[in-house]
Amino acid sequence: MQKIKSLMTRQGLKSPPESLSDLGAIESLRVPGKEEFRELREQPTDPQAEQELINSIEQIYFSSDSFDIVKYELEKLPPVLNLQELEEYRDKLKQQQAAVSRKVADLILEKQPAYVKELERVTSLQTGLQLAAVICTNGRRHLNIAKEGFTQASLGLLANQRKRQLLIGLLQSLRTIKTLQRTDVRLSEMLEEEDYPGAIQLCLECQKAASTFKHYSCISELNSKLQDTLEQIEEQLDVALSKICKNFDINHYTKVQQAYRLLGKTQTAMDQLHMHFTQAIHNTVFQVVLGYVELCAGNTDTKFQKLQYKDLCTHITPDSYIPCLADLCKALWEVMLSYYRTMEWHEKHDNEDTTSASEGSNMMSTEETNFDRGYIKKKLEHGLTRIWQDVQLKVKTYLLGTDLSIFKYDDFIFVLDIISRLMQVGEEFCGSKSEVLQESIRKQSVNYFKNYHRTRLDELRMFLENETWELCPVKSNFSILQLHEFKFMEQSRSPSVSPSKQPASASSKTVTLFEQYCSGGNPFEIQANHKDEETEDVLASNGYESDEQEKSAYQEYDSDSDVPEELKRDYVDEQTGDAPVKSISRETLKSRKKSDYSLNKVNAPILTNTTLNVIRLVGKYMQMMNILKPIAFDVIHFMSQLFDYYLYAIYTFFGRNDSLESTGLGLSSSRLRTTLNRIQESLIDLEVSVDPTATLTAAEERKEKVPSPHLSHLVVLTSGDTLYGLAERVVATESLVFLAEQFEFLQPHLDAVMPAAKKPFLQQFYSQTVSTASELRKPIYWIVAGKAIDYEQMLLLMANVKWDVKEIMSQHNVYVDALLKEFEQFNRRLNEVSKRVRIPLPVSNILWEHCIRLANRTIVEGYANVKKCSNEGRALMQLDFQQFLMKLEKLTDIRPIPDKEFVETYIKAYYLTENDMERWIKEHREYSMKQLTNLVNVCLGSHINKKARQKLLAAIDDIDRPKR
């Protein structure tokens, strides 16, 4: 189709739609006549054949309008013309032309209706244009009439009125410009008054007014000046914002925030505020340290000002170290308090803004405000950790600048107390556990404490080797909480109400340091007063605290309520030695005076100067542990070594006796022996000289150990008049028991600070070491009991007695009276010793128990030495023993008499038959081989024959065989 249109164009024909745009072309359009149409219709009308003819037309005929067909055909002619070929080619062209013409005719006939319709529309349009021309002509005529109806004067009046209005507006503009010119003076006054919101508001209004009059040439200079003024205000506003970091003022900060809000830079203000806080921390610590360095240097040499903070800290002298640290923490507290109050201000005003926003209707403004508020909140919360980290790093750098090992213990504790308070501030500030400070101070504390503890152990050895074991007189109401070293424990305890009885509301509500010192003060100011505590009042005069107490100790009491508490506490169950008696009557008091050697002394704790020093050391150790809980395990381990060494020394001085275990009485329990072996292996250095070939590890292990202590030569334990140093033994042993009681008292506090993973060590220490302190009484007092009575003399007297008598005797033997005299003398000596030192009832009971037990076993040993014995002789033995018991019960209150059955059972075994005796031997293995063998031999001839004797001896040998 496009090819047909192109061909029609070159032939001067146009399609109907294209011809409508040009009326001239319509008039010149040649429509084929009837003859042409008829001729075209008469030609064959095979569509396929016509299409093939059209397709056979060369493509060049459709190329462009400038194509010259005639020239093209002529150029195609061959050099030699052939008429017949020319005619054939001409016929072909005619056929192609005829096909194109028929195709064009069909197209024209197809578009004929559209052509007629479009021609009608063009005619209608021509009519409309003619009508519009008539309307325009009438309008112009009427305008000319209106123009002629107005006068020149009316138009002049209107022009003057318009000029008047313009001049009035100009006058107002000039007055505004004049006001703007004078604004800089007012702005300067407002900045001096620190009225930043007002200054910014005024400046912004001036800028808005200046933009209204920007078409005046004088305003451009003013607008530039106002912009400079606004930048100056922002600079002063930044300076005002930086002042918040050290001394927060609500009114001042409110003005600054209002000013930034007017500028639309609340987020920028928050970013700047954090930069100022970081800078404030650096400048503050640098100035504090620089001041002390220059003060100690005695000059104002500028070389210190050029040093880095880390290098500057190394110039702090030991004398100024603690005051500088305190001032450093005070200054950092002020910075953190300002940040805390800044956050409080934003929380309060955020709530107020939320309330006011809910009442407004501007949704866009509310969303923007909420976005700013969220940004500020996140920025402030993130800044907490960042600021605390900066504070930790600055303090850590200061701590590392000086070796803390040069300080005395009290000064070191004071440093730890300051750091502990700072870590408490940090934990309340941002909830952080102060990992940076903890790790730094922990390393220094452990190193310091190891050296300190080693020195204290050496001092303890020196004290023990010079201790004469004299009683240190303290008041009856003595408590370790009265000592200066334990004052920190009283601060955490309510003096009148126990924590369990305090109201729940009071215990749950805790006041933080920021709440406590928000309005004023500083948590680091109180540290300076800790060294000047009140004086201790724990020592009493020798023996009694007053003459009235000495008189009242011997008064007769009419009722249970008259008995003093110290006497009530001293009466314990005779068998256990622990459970207190519920009430003590007058008769009981009188009856027990014969065995209670402490009635003439106030019931004050028994301890020595060394014991008191150990307790003070424990208090100091607990101070460090309480201040720095991360090293709690190390401190408790060192505390246990103090107790271990004291216990080992008491045992070494007064309880070590190889003959004790040979008695078979189990005086030292397996737990006590295990404890002593553990202490000796882990703590005691038994080597005399250092082996030069020893390994480095062995040398390091030896550094952890302490040489075994030696008893002072001033302490005499060999005199019978003093019961072989009984007073010293009592003071030493009971001081250890008292020390163990204090450790038991401190156990809840130690357990509270001990890490969970290390609590098994603490439990093991208490169960295997502290609880064994009272078990040392038996081996220590056994030595006294073994020497206080002359048991060998009694055996000699018993050997002279004739036991094969033929008649029953009514008089006991002399050895019984000799033994009772020994006990009476022992009782007198106990009374003499009790004048020097109070002998607690458990101690006197143990002494009497040991002596009676040894006496009874000596009696059995004496009976076992008998060669011949009759039935009457056995009756005499029972008479002697009953006489001994009757007299002994008047000397002591111990019931039942120890080993009473041991003697009676041995005497009665003489009367047993062969079979009964064999069973008896197998059941009673508490007797020695000698005693059993003698029993069988003595019975020979009376009711046991030789054959039975051999059988019984064989049974005894079977019992003894596993022991070999």
Side-chain angles (χ1 to χ4, degrees):
M1 183 61 68
Q2 294 296 329
K3 294 178 179 180
I4 298 299
K5 289 182 180 181
S6 177
L7 190 57
M8 289 171 59
T9 302
R10 289 195 298 274
Q11 292 179 352
L13 299 178
K14 295 183 179 180
S15 61
E18 295 173 351
S19 63
L20 293 177
S21 60
D22 187 6
L23 293 179
I26 293 175
E27 297 175 356
S28 62
L29 180 64
R30 184 180 69 84
V31 181
K34 293 180 180 180
E35 294 296 335
E36 293 180 359
F37 281 118
R38 185 171 59 250
E39 184 182 353
L40 292 173
R41 285 197 297 270
E42 289 177 354
Q43 295 180 2
T45 58
D46 186 2
Q48 184 175 1
E50 289 184 355
Q51 186 63 38
E52 290 178 355
L53 285 173
I54 293 173
N55 292 338
S56 65
I57 299 174
E58 294 184 26
Q59 190 68 29
I60 194 171
Y61 285 98
F62 306 101
S63 60
S64 63
D65 294 341
S66 62
F67 176 65
D68 190 352
I69 298 175
V70 177
K71 184 180 179 181
Y72 174 73
E73 290 298 336
L74 291 176
E75 290 177 351
K76 284 177 60 179
L77 293 177
V80 180
L81 300 177
N82 188 338
L83 179 60
Q84 185 180 354
E85 290 177 359
L86 289 176
E87 287 178 352
E88 290 176 359
Y89 184 68
R90 182 196 63 185
D91 293 340
K92 179 181 178 183
L93 292 176
K94 283 183 179 182
Q95 289 175 3
Q96 290 178 347
Q97 182 183 15
V100 171
S101 297
R102 281 193 296 272
K103 188 68 174 180
V104 170
D106 291 340
L107 290 175
I108 291 173
L109 291 175
E110 183 182 351
K111 300 294 182 177
Q112 183 69 24
Y115 164 72
V116 174
K117 185 177 179 180
E118 184 67 21
L119 190 59
E120 291 176 354
R121 193 180 69 81
V122 171
T123 305
S124 175
L125 180 62
Q126 186 176 7
T127 306
L129 289 174
Q130 292 174 354
L131 179 60
V134 173
I135 293 173
C136 289
T137 303
N138 292 335
R140 288 176 180 176
R141 186 174 65 252
H142 286 96
L143 284 174
N144 288 330
I145 295 171
K147 182 178 180 181
E148 293 174 357
F150 286 98
T151 63
Q152 187 74 23
S154 299
L155 294 176
L157 184 62
L158 291 174
N160 291 333
Q161 177 63 22
R162 179 174 176 272
K163 187 181 293 184
R164 181 177 179 273
Q165 293 296 334
L166 292 174
L167 291 174
I168 291 174
L170 178 60
L171 181 61
Q172 292 177 351
S173 299
L174 292 174
R175 288 175 178 172
T176 303
I177 293 172
K178 183 179 180 181
T179 304
L180 292 176
Q181 295 288 351
R182 297 178 179 177
T183 303
D184 56 344
V185 179
R186 178 56 186 157
L187 286 174
S188 299
E189 294 176 355
M190 298 177 78
L191 290 177
E192 290 180 359
E193 297 170 359
E194 295 186 348
D195 184 10
Y196 303 109
I200 292 176
Q201 183 70 36
L202 178 59
C203 191
L204 292 176
E205 291 176 356
C206 290
Q207 280 189 329
K208 184 177 180 181
S211 64
T212 305
F213 304 105
K214 60 183 179 180
H215 50 279
Y216 296 105
S217 59
C218 61
I219 290 300
S220 59
E221 182 180 352
L222 176 62
N223 203 4
S224 176
K225 187 176 182 181
L226 287 174
Q227 185 63 33
D228 294 340
T229 303
L230 189 60
E231 293 177 358
Q232 181 183 357
I233 293 174
E234 290 188 23
E235 292 177 0
Q236 293 193 22
L237 198 58
D238 189 60
V239 174
L241 186 65
S242 65
K243 295 179 180 178
I244 299 297
C245 301
K246 294 185 179 180
N247 186 16
F248 183 86
D249 181 78
I250 294 179
N251 296 328
H252 182 76
Y253 189 67
T254 303
K255 290 180 181 179
V256 172
Q257 282 296 322
Q258 288 176 352
Y260 274 110
R261 187 171 299 178
L262 289 173
L263 291 172
K265 296 183 177 181
T266 53
Q267 296 184 16
T268 303
M270 192 51 54
D271 295 337
Q272 288 295 112
L273 182 62
H274 281 80
M275 290 178 58
H276 288 314
F277 268 106
T278 302
Q279 190 66 27
I281 292 173
H282 174 75
N283 292 340
T284 299
V285 297
F286 187 85
Q287 291 300 324
V288 171
V289 176
L290 178 63
Y292 275 92
V293 170
E294 291 180 344
L295 180 65
C296 297
N299 55 45
T300 57
D301 193 349
T302 57
K303 69 175 184 179
F304 295 119
Q305 298 179 359
K306 299 178 182 178
L307 293 177
Q308 295 291 329
Y309 173 72
K310 179 180 180 180
D311 299 327
L312 192 64
C313 292
T314 59
H315 290 79
I316 291 290
T317 61
D319 294 337
S320 61
Y321 185 86
I322 293 178
C324 181
L325 178 61
D327 288 345
L328 197 65
C329 292
K330 289 179 185 179
L332 291 173
W333 160 261
E334 296 296 336
V335 175
M336 288 190 286
L337 179 62
S338 295
Y339 194 89
Y340 175 83
R341 297 185 66 185
T342 301
M343 291 193 66
E344 274 191 337
W345 186 93
H346 280 281
E347 290 177 1
K348 178 181 178 182
H349 284 74
D350 283 351
N351 295 332
E352 294 177 356
D353 292 343
T354 303
T355 305
S356 61
S358 61
E359 298 174 356
S361 58
N362 192 341
M363 185 62 67
M364 293 296 294
S365 178
T366 302
E367 291 179 358
E368 184 178 355
T369 303
N370 290 337
F371 178 78
D372 289 343
R373 189 184 303 120
Y375 177 84
I376 291 173
K377 183 178 180 181
K378 290 182 179 179
K379 191 74 175 178
L380 287 172
E381 291 175 352
H382 176 71
L384 284 172
T385 305
R386 178 182 173 184
I387 288 176
W388 175 234
Q389 289 294 331
D390 289 344
V391 170
Q392 288 188 89
L393 290 174
K394 296 300 181 184
V395 177
K396 176 185 176 181
T397 303
Y398 181 83
L399 293 175
L400 296 177
T402 303
D403 184 8
L404 298 183
S405 62
I406 63 175
F407 291 111
K408 296 181 180 179
Y409 182 82
D410 291 338
D411 292 334
F412 185 75
I413 287 293
F414 191 68
V415 171
L416 288 187
D417 201 11
I418 294 177
I419 300 302
S420 175
R421 182 60 61 96
L422 182 62
M423 289 192 292
Q424 181 184 354
V425 169
E427 187 171 351
E428 294 178 0
F429 184 68
C430 62
S432 172
K433 295 300 182 181
S434 310
E435 294 85 357
V436 176
L437 272 180
Q438 281 186 2
E439 185 62 24
S440 174
I441 200 66
R442 184 186 182 279
K443 290 180 180 179
Q444 297 196 59
S445 299
V446 171
N447 294 333
Y448 180 90
F449 200 63
K450 282 183 178 179
N451 297 330
Y452 179 81
H453 175 66
R454 175 64 196 188
T455 305
R456 300 290 80 76
L457 280 178
D458 291 337
E459 287 184 358
L460 178 58
R461 180 172 68 90
M462 181 187 67
F463 289 151
L464 289 170
E465 291 181 344
N466 290 277
E467 178 65 64
T468 58
W469 304 105
E470 295 290 336
L471 185 67
C472 177
V474 294
K475 293 187 175 181
S476 59
N477 62 347
F478 170 75
S479 170
I480 61 174
L481 297 179
Q482 298 170 352
L483 297 176
H484 167 77
E485 289 77 9
F486 290 90
K487 291 297 182 181
F488 74 94
M489 294 184 63
E490 280 192 331
Q491 295 173 4
S492 60
R493 295 162 59 95
S494 174
S496 57
V497 182
S498 64
S500 60
K501 297 181 179 180
Q502 291 180 351
S505 60
S507 60
S508 60
K509 184 179 180 181
T510 57
V511 180
T512 65
L513 293 174
F514 287 96
E515 294 172 346
Q516 183 178 354
Y517 297 100
C518 186
S519 58
N522 194 302
F524 298 97
E525 292 177 352
I526 62 174
Q527 305 295 328
N529 301 325
H530 281 353
K531 292 185 177 181
D532 302 327
E533 296 288 347
E534 59 184 8
T535 57
E536 297 174 349
D537 186 18
V538 296
L539 298 179
S541 58
N542 206 0
Y544 297 100
E545 296 181 25
S546 64
D547 295 337
E548 289 74 12
Q549 290 178 346
E550 183 175 8
K551 294 177 181 178
S552 64
Y554 292 99
Q555 287 179 350
E556 297 292 341
Y557 302 102
D558 297 329
S559 63
D560 292 351
S561 60
D562 291 332
V563 181
E565 289 297 327
E566 56 265 28
L567 296 183
K568 288 183 180 180
R569 288 196 301 268
D570 214 26
Y571 287 98
V572 296
D573 185 76
E574 295 173 351
Q575 296 183 8
T576 64
D578 294 325
V581 181
K582 292 184 178 179
S583 62
I584 302 176
S585 63
R586 176 180 176 182
E587 290 75 13
T588 304
L589 187 63
K590 287 181 178 180
S591 63
R592 295 206 173 181
K593 284 181 181 179
K594 59 191 176 186
S595 59
D596 191 350
Y597 300 91
S598 63
L599 286 178
N600 60 337
K601 292 286 183 181
V602 176
N603 190 21
I606 298 177
L607 66 157
T608 65
N609 288 327
T610 302
T611 315
L612 202 57
N613 286 331
V614 172
I615 294 174
R616 291 184 186 277
L617 271 181
V618 170
K620 289 182 177 181
Y621 284 21
M622 290 187 65
Q623 283 181 23
M624 178 174 289
M625 178 181 62
N626 187 67
I627 292 172
L628 197 62
K629 292 181 177 58
I631 65 169
F633 171 72
D634 301 285
V635 176
I636 293 176
H637 174 66
F638 292 147
M639 285 174 56
S640 68
Q641 289 186 346
L642 293 177
F643 187 85
D644 289 347
Y645 195 71
Y646 194 87
L647 183 148
Y648 186 82
I650 300 299
Y651 171 77
T652 304
F653 292 167
F654 304 104
R656 176 175 287 175
N657 192 331
D658 297 334
S659 64
L660 289 181
E661 300 304 326
S662 62
T663 60
L665 298 179
L667 297 176
S668 298
S669 65
S670 60
R671 184 175 62 168
L672 178 58
R673 291 194 299 272
T674 302
T675 299
L676 292 171
N677 290 334
R678 177 189 60 80
I679 296 173
Q680 181 170 299
E681 292 175 1
S682 62
L683 188 61
I684 306 303
D685 184 9
L686 300 177
E687 299 182 18
V688 178
S689 59
V690 179
D691 185 5
T693 62
T695 62
L696 181 62
T697 304
E700 291 295 329
E701 290 179 355
R702 289 201 61 197
K703 287 183 179 179
E704 302 291 333
K705 297 183 177 182
V706 189
S708 179
H710 303 284
L711 183 64
S712 172
H713 66 280
L714 299 177
V715 181
V716 180
L717 302 179
T718 57
S719 174
D721 295 336
T722 61
L723 277 180
Y724 305 95
L726 178 60
E728 289 81 2
R729 295 177 189 271
V730 169
V731 171
T733 308
E734 298 312 305
S735 68
L736 175 63
V737 174
F738 177 78
L739 184 61
E741 291 172 353
Q742 306 316 303
F743 270 83
E744 294 283 356
F745 171 74
L746 297 173
Q747 184 178 6
H749 186 81
L750 299 179
D751 189 69
V753 298
M754 189 71 160
K758 302 294 185 179
K759 285 190 177 182
F761 168 80
L762 185 64
Q763 296 171 357
Q764 182 180 5
F765 168 66
Y766 272 94
S767 62
Q768 298 184 5
T769 304
V770 177
S771 60
T772 60
S774 59
E775 297 180 11
L776 272 181
R777 284 171 169 167
K778 284 189 175 182
I780 290 176
Y781 297 134
W782 177 271
I783 297 175
V784 176
K787 297 179 180 180
I789 306 296
D790 192 353
Y791 304 102
E792 295 295 332
Q793 179 63 26
M794 187 176 67
L795 286 174
L796 294 176
L797 293 175
M798 292 179 69
N800 295 328
V801 177
K802 186 177 181 181
W803 299 104
D804 55 346
V805 294
K806 301 301 181 181
E807 57 182 13
I808 298 177
M809 307 296 292
S810 60
Q811 180 66 31
H812 61 273
N813 286 306
V814 179
Y815 75 89
V816 175
D817 295 330
L819 181 59
L820 289 173
K821 286 182 179 179
E822 289 285 336
F823 274 101
E824 289 174 356
Q825 184 179 6
F826 172 71
N827 190 26
R828 288 193 299 270
R829 289 178 178 176
L830 276 181
N831 278 311
E832 292 296 327
V833 172
S834 67
K835 294 178 181 179
R836 290 181 53 196
V837 60
R838 178 176 65 86
I839 302 178
L841 185 60
V843 175
S844 62
N845 286 342
I846 289 177
L847 284 168
W848 276 99
E849 179 184 351
H850 284 344
C851 289
I852 295 172
R853 192 181 300 276
L854 283 170
N856 287 335
R857 290 181 178 269
T858 303
I859 291 174
V860 172
E861 187 66 20
Y863 293 161
N865 292 330
V866 175
K867 302 298 182 181
K868 295 181 180 180
C869 180
S870 61
N871 291 335
E872 292 78 6
R874 284 292 170 180
L876 180 59
M877 290 180 182
Q878 290 182 342
L879 175 64
D880 292 345
F881 187 64
Q882 292 302 321
Q883 177 68 18
F884 170 69
L885 292 178
M886 181 182 66
K887 296 292 185 180
L888 183 63
E889 287 176 351
K890 295 180 181 180
L891 294 176
T892 180
D893 298 322
I894 295 180
R895 301 293 185 276
I897 298 296
D899 281 353
K900 174 183 176 183
E901 293 79 5
F902 185 79
V903 180
E904 292 178 342
T905 302
Y906 188 80
I907 295 175
K908 294 176 182 179
Y910 176 80
Y911 303 103
L912 295 176
T913 62
E914 175 186 345
N915 294 331
D916 292 339
M917 182 168 288
E918 184 179 1
R919 184 172 59 255
W920 183 88
I921 289 173
K922 293 179 180 180
E923 292 176 353
H924 292 77
R925 301 189 178 188
E926 64 270 21
Y927 298 100
S928 66
M929 294 292 298
K930 174 188 174 183
Q931 294 168 352
L932 294 175
T933 303
N934 180 267
L935 179 64
V936 174
N937 290 331
V938 170
C939 293
L940 179 65
S942 59
H943 56 279
I944 294 179
N945 55 31
K946 291 184 177 181
K947 183 177 180 182
R949 173 178 174 270
Q950 294 297 329
K951 181 179 179 181
L952 292 175
L953 291 177
I956 296 173
D957 188 65
D958 292 339
I959 295 174
D960 185 59
R961 188 174 292 111
K963 299 180 182 178
R964 297 173 185 171

